[in-house]
Amino acid sequence: MTKLSVNINKIATLRNARGGNVPDLLKVATDIQKFGAQGITIHPRPDERHIRYQDARDLKSIVTTEFNIEGNPQHNFIDLVLECKPEQVTLVPDAIGAITSSAGWDTQKNQSYLAEVIQEFQRNGIRTSIFVDPVLEMIEGAKKTGTDRIELYTEEFAKQYDLGNKTGIEPYIQAAVLANEMHLGINAGHDLSLENIKFFKDNIPNLLEVSIGHALVSEALYLGLDNVVNMYLQKLK
């Protein structure tokens, strides 16, 4: 089955809104794993408006599944990842102050830079993934960086699916076919939800992992965290 990694940024946002330690990020991460999720994802940003750098350090001993740290590979981020040594690092080209991720890497223009960063992580035993749009040239460029995996940026798919346009999956299928031919592992994330996850998973060949945060936490407000995690796991079988 496709693995589910739960992004807990929104839990940190809720905690930070009041100060203190409610909700307890470490307990939530522990519970999510107990409920069956196969990974925990965090995306620290330079302003630490949700996940703090210290959270990454604290989670290292809590995450017993797969620990995935996402972010823009600036110096502080690189140092944090090398210190924590997660199972996976996902490189995302976030602009400073961005509310959320809005585009994948231009793997042609940034090829040498990404290759240098990826080699450093791989030398330290950390699997690498890079965030990309479903554009064939970007998949080809990703291969040349030496990355282990790509993460398909799925916002456009989710938008088209909500409009009833299921042909919006086609660029993602083409990207996945090419990635498979190039022996690149495939992850996916952004705006995936209980509504669209099964359709996406059923159409993407060899989808290894999805990272879901905003939708999952929002759905859990109505349905409960344990229940929602297991609803995702059923759809990802």
Side-chain angles (χ1 to χ4, degrees):
M1 66 179 289
T2 301
K3 291 183 177 181
L4 171 65
S5 185
V6 178
N7 186 317
I8 58 174
N9 277 24
K10 284 296 182 293
I11 304 299
T13 301
L14 187 59
R15 174 199 63 189
N16 295 354
R18 285 288 296 269
N21 195 40
V22 178
D24 184 332
L25 190 77
L26 302 185
K27 184 179 187 308
V28 172
T30 300
D31 289 342
I32 287 170
Q33 293 173 105
K34 183 174 67 177
F35 299 153
Q38 296 104 338
I40 296 292
T41 291
I42 59 172
H43 189 146
R45 287 182 166 86
D47 61 8
E48 298 187 290
R49 65 181 180 271
H50 35 61
I51 291 292
R52 300 165 182 155
Y53 276 37
Q54 187 58 45
D55 291 330
R57 300 181 182 102
D58 294 341
L59 282 162
K60 177 58 182 172
S61 62
I62 298 298
V63 179
T64 57
T65 54
E66 178 194 273
F67 194 18
N68 174 44
I69 302 181
E70 298 181 344
N72 193 322
Q74 298 171 344
H75 290 301
N76 287 348
F77 178 84
I78 292 172
D79 291 344
L80 179 72
V81 172
L82 293 176
E83 177 185 348
C84 294
K85 287 192 167 56
E87 282 72 29
Q88 178 172 268
V89 59
T90 301
L91 308 182
V92 183
D94 284 337
I96 298 296
I99 294 174
T100 187
S101 305
S102 58
W105 286 98
D106 184 328
T107 57
Q108 305 287 351
K109 289 183 179 178
N110 296 284
Q111 192 175 117
S112 60
Y113 171 65
L114 286 169
E116 182 179 349
V117 173
I118 286 165
Q119 287 169 13
E120 179 65 16
F121 288 138
Q122 290 175 337
R123 278 195 295 269
N124 283 271
I126 303 168
R127 185 174 72 231
T128 61
S129 178
I130 56 177
F131 203 55
V132 293
D133 295 306
V135 176
L136 299 186
E137 291 81 5
M138 297 301 107
I139 309 301
E140 292 169 349
K143 177 63 177 179
K144 293 175 182 177
T145 68
T147 190
D148 301 296
R149 295 187 184 185
I150 56 169
E151 179 172 329
L152 292 172
Y153 173 42
T154 49
E155 180 183 21
E156 185 60 26
F157 156 74
K159 187 184 300 181
Q160 293 302 318
Y161 189 90
D162 285 347
L163 295 172
N165 178 19
K166 294 187 177 180
T167 61
I169 192 73
E170 291 176 2
Y172 295 87
I173 295 172
Q174 294 169 10
V177 168
L178 180 59
N180 284 321
E181 290 174 355
M182 292 182 165
H183 305 289
L184 286 171
I186 303 170
N187 298 341
H190 205 91
D191 288 349
L192 296 174
S193 69
L194 283 174
E195 292 295 319
N196 60 37
I197 187 64
K198 188 176 191 307
F199 181 80
F200 187 82
K201 184 263 181 187
D202 287 348
N203 282 278
I204 301 301
N206 300 318
L207 179 63
L208 298 175
E209 177 183 310
V210 292
S211 174
I212 304 177
H214 182 80
L216 188 151
V217 173
S218 298
E219 290 154 349
L221 292 175
Y222 292 95
L223 302 171
L225 190 55
D226 186 353
N227 188 34
V228 166
V229 167
N230 280 279
M231 290 171 74
Y232 274 98
L233 293 174
Q234 286 297 318
K235 292 176 182 290
L236 290 169
K237 281 186 177 178

